[in-house]
Amino acid sequence: MEAAARMETVLEAALRVREAARRGTYEAGSAHAVLSALSEVVDCDHASLARWDPANRRHVSLANNYPERAREHLSSGLHEDPLFALVRRPGGLLWLHDVPEDLRAASTTIRDVLEPSGFEDGVTQCLFSPDGRYVGVLNLSMRRRRQRLRPTDLVLALLGDCLAAAVDVLAPAGSVGLPADSPADTWTLAVPDPPRAAPLPLSGRVPAWLGDAVPLGDVVRRAAARRTLPATILVPHGQRLLELRLTRRGTATLAVCRRVTPPGGLSPRELDVLAELTTGLTNREIAERLFVSVRTVATHVEHILAKLDLPNRVAAASRATAWGLEPKPPPPADPVAAAPRAALRQVTPLGS
């Protein structure tokens, strides 16, 4: 009974970690709140939670109570540690006491930072988004060596998804649009809640090839209604594939957008068909949606299964769902609905 009560306490603490991560996006001190809740799960002396900045190739600390020397290394040197390559993978979680002596000697983090600081044990957990992007890292250190892992320590492996969501943020609290270190080829749109309302550019340069952003806004609204935010989705757009990182801001959904390479070597049209498979439509229904023949859809499905090495369309739909692939929005029921926007684009500006 006592063991069951302890485990119930640990699971309740783990749920508090998840809740802190869910609420915390964009809130000041949210990463500290997550680590505070995590301390109820795993007993440690020092902790840090950091997001990965691919543009500058460094970790950006969100919450960190390590000594100054260790902080700097965790930000600028951790990713260059030979040992880090072993743990930077989905599900990557490495305890210090499990590292063999030869690897300990080769690790700059252990040799130059952890051991001189008196840390005898700890754990590094790499964090990945649902679509497979490396987004950050959790580091915990203890001054006493774990003789064996406690049941509470094992719960840590179940929290990777919510910790990843906590670090995969779009902008700091109080700011509008992208952080200052965001890549130049990324732009931010605010999608108001009212249906068919045009998205508002907030930052970055919206590419000309995006054209009318209203259909993209419809995709964002639909995804935001079906998913727990923050979330990352993939949206086919003509010959391109867009990655949209979604979060809530007031009465709108923020979408940080960038163009990405199609996964699995899929063609743009194959991505269109794969996205439609997530809706459960038949080949004939997909053909009507994409204005192609039923035979063409069937051929695309065959190619998708071959490229992704999947047994059937159900497995393909599951893969697409895991990627966050969203189908295109249906066309307006009334063609006249699009006329006002088309007319506006044809108006000649005054004075021209």
Side-chain angles (χ1 to χ4, degrees):
M1 289 293 292
E2 183 179 349
R6 284 200 303 268
M7 184 52 66
E8 182 178 353
T9 301
V10 170
L11 292 177
E12 288 177 353
L15 289 176
R16 286 194 289 273
V17 175
R18 301 189 74 88
E19 180 62 18
R22 185 187 68 80
R23 292 196 319 264
T25 306
Y26 291 108
E27 294 180 2
S30 60
H32 294 277
V34 172
L35 286 186
S36 176
L38 189 63
S39 67
E40 301 180 41
V41 180
V42 182
D43 181 28
C44 64
D45 296 301
H46 292 273
S48 76
L49 191 60
R51 70 174 178 87
W52 173 243
D53 176 5
N56 295 302
R57 293 198 57 76
R58 62 181 283 120
H59 289 96
V60 178
S61 177
L62 302 177
N64 193 324
N65 68 351
Y66 278 86
E68 185 61 35
R69 179 184 177 187
R71 291 187 190 187
E72 179 56 32
H73 178 84
L74 292 176
S75 295
S76 59
L78 178 64
H79 66 284
E80 297 180 345
D81 189 324
L83 188 60
F84 190 67
L86 299 179
V87 72
R88 184 170 165 167
R89 54 183 171 77
L93 191 153
L94 182 66
W95 283 87
L96 183 57
H97 61 247
D98 288 334
V99 180
E101 287 301 324
D102 56 336
L103 291 180
R104 292 174 73 99
S107 170
T108 55
T109 303
I110 297 176
R111 185 185 67 236
D112 300 337
V113 177
L114 297 182
E115 290 182 344
S117 299
F119 298 124
E120 296 187 3
D121 212 341
V123 61
T124 294
Q125 182 175 11
C126 289
L127 308 173
F128 289 79
S129 67
D131 62 336
R133 289 178 298 108
Y134 173 65
V135 295
V137 63
L138 169 74
N139 286 290
L140 306 177
S141 294
M142 301 86 174
R143 296 195 179 278
R144 291 186 179 183
R145 182 182 177 88
R146 290 276 204 271
Q147 297 304 317
R148 60 180 180 177
L149 291 183
R150 308 167 185 175
T152 53
D153 298 329
L154 302 177
V155 177
L156 189 61
L158 304 177
L159 298 173
D161 61 334
C162 71
L163 294 174
V167 302
D168 192 19
V169 296
L170 308 180
S175 67
V176 176
L178 290 172
D181 58 0
S182 295
D185 60 350
T186 305
W187 66 96
T188 306
L189 299 175
V191 180
D193 289 342
R196 303 298 294 171
L200 307 174
L202 291 184
S203 65
R205 179 174 296 178
V206 179
W209 50 259
L210 187 64
D212 186 359
V214 170
L216 185 62
D218 292 341
V219 174
V220 169
R221 291 186 193 90
R222 182 178 59 195
R226 294 168 49 228
R227 300 172 184 269
T228 300
L229 302 187
T232 300
I233 63 174
L234 299 177
V235 181
H237 188 280
Q239 296 298 305
R240 302 171 178 88
L241 180 66
L242 298 179
E243 177 194 78
L244 277 62
R245 296 164 58 191
L246 309 181
T247 191
R248 286 294 294 175
R249 178 74 62 81
T251 59
T253 300
L254 289 193
V256 175
C257 314
R258 64 170 181 154
R259 183 179 177 183
V260 294
T261 302
L266 299 177
S267 70
R269 184 52 95 181
E270 287 166 350
L271 280 171
D272 286 337
V273 173
L274 179 57
E276 297 296 336
L277 290 181
T278 65
T279 65
L281 296 179
T282 65
N283 284 0
R284 181 170 298 281
E285 291 169 329
I286 293 175
E288 293 174 355
R289 285 259 295 146
L290 300 181
F291 301 103
V292 296
S293 70
V294 177
R295 183 180 182 84
T296 297
V297 172
T299 300
H300 285 318
V301 171
E302 291 177 6
H303 291 169
I304 290 168
L305 298 181
K307 289 183 178 181
L308 301 183
D309 192 24
L310 296 172
N312 51 50
R313 61 195 292 138
V314 174
S318 297
R319 178 71 59 84
T321 300
W323 284 343
L325 192 62
E326 286 280 338
K328 295 178 179 179
D334 181 6
V336 178
R341 289 195 307 276
L344 286 174
R345 287 197 295 268
Q346 296 173 6
V347 171
T348 302
L350 292 176
S352 60

